[in-house]
């Protein structure tokens, strides 16, 4: 009888936790899908279903629920309008961990009018860390990098542009 009572208590606790939105993975599935939907609607970071799901899971796992609610309530707002700089970088890292950053940079440069061959040459010249820094700077504004790191990236970009035969003048 005591054994059955213990199981009944355990089952009741598990059901209560599930009903109250406990912290198990199932309780985040709806939020992950909502974040994934927002990410897939984002023109700045086009990504596949798998990439968007991976990024959404990273974001849900690393951003507090209050901030997530604010972000989801304002899907068209810039990150800087609804989060602090640290959270914005956490979101970007969550995305960068799931996509090919070099390909993402090429896509954005082509969309901005750079010929694909030039964009690919430039992106190949950066290392993975430099690409992430470059994309963070492009997405996060002044707070994303120190002034020194920004100047180093800018100098590297000019150096690579020259190596790639890109015109630097207007």
């Amino acid at each position: 009888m005591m054994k059955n009572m213990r199981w009944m208590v355990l089952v009741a606790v598990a059901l209560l936790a599930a009903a109250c939105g406990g912290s198990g993975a199932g309780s985040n599935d709806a939020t992950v899908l909502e974040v994934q939907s927002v990410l897939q609607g984002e023109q700045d970071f086009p990504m596949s279903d798998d990439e968007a799901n991976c990024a959404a899971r990273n974001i849900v796992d690393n951003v507090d629920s209050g901030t997530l609610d604010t972000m989801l309530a304002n899907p068209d707002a810039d990150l800087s309008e609804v989060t602090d700089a640290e959270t914005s970088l956490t979101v970007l890292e969550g995305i960068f961990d799931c996509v090919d950053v070099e390909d993402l940079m090429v896509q954005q440069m082509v969309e901005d009018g750079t010929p694909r061959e030039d964009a690919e040459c430039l992106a190949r010249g950066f290392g993975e860390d430099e690409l992430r820094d470059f994309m963070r700077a492009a997405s996060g504004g002044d707070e994303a990098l120190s002034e020194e790191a920004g100047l180093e990236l800018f100098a590297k970009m000019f150096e690579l542009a020259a190596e790639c035969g890109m015109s630097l003048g207007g």
Side-chain angles (χ1 to χ4, degrees):
M1 175 90 163
M2 189 63 125
K3 218 178 203 181
N4 286 340
M5 181 65 86
R6 192 171 358 157
W7 279 107
M8 287 174 32
V9 169
L10 288 173
V11 168
V13 168
L15 289 173
L16 183 60
C20 294
S23 61
S27 66
N28 286 332
D29 285 348
T31 305
V32 168
L33 290 175
E34 193 173 355
V35 172
Q36 179 178 347
S37 175
V38 170
L39 290 172
Q40 288 182 302
E42 178 60 49
Q43 299 302 313
D44 291 337
F45 293 105
M47 55 185 86
S48 70
D49 289 346
D50 288 342
E51 291 170 333
N53 184 269
C54 172
R57 288 193 183 283
N58 284 346
I59 292 166
V60 169
D61 288 347
N62 293 296
V63 174
D64 70 81
S65 61
T67 302
L68 269 176
D69 290 344
T70 301
M71 290 167 55
L72 291 170
N74 301 286
D76 295 327
D78 287 339
L79 273 178
S80 62
E81 295 173 3
V82 293
T83 66
D84 58 32
E86 183 178 338
T87 303
S88 293
L89 291 177
T90 298
V91 169
L92 291 173
E93 285 301 323
I95 294 169
F96 293 163
D97 287 345
C98 298
V99 299
D100 180 332
V101 179
E102 182 178 316
D103 185 52
L104 184 60
M105 182 177 177
V106 169
Q107 286 179 30
Q108 287 191 325
M109 290 176 66
V110 168
E111 287 174 12
D112 289 341
T114 303
R116 179 166 290 282
E117 185 177 304
D118 291 345
E120 289 172 349
C121 179
L122 191 63
R124 278 192 311 266
F126 284 105
E128 176 73 18
D129 288 340
E130 291 171 318
L131 277 174
R132 285 176 177 251
D133 286 346
F134 190 84
M135 295 299 289
R136 273 193 293 272
S139 302
D142 295 336
E143 297 174 356
L145 290 175
S146 69
E147 185 176 343
E148 182 180 341
L151 290 173
E152 287 175 13
L153 275 178
F154 191 68
K156 174 94 181 215
M157 185 180 66
F158 271 97
E159 177 185 318
L160 289 171
E163 288 177 20
C164 294
M166 296 173 67
S167 171
L168 300 178

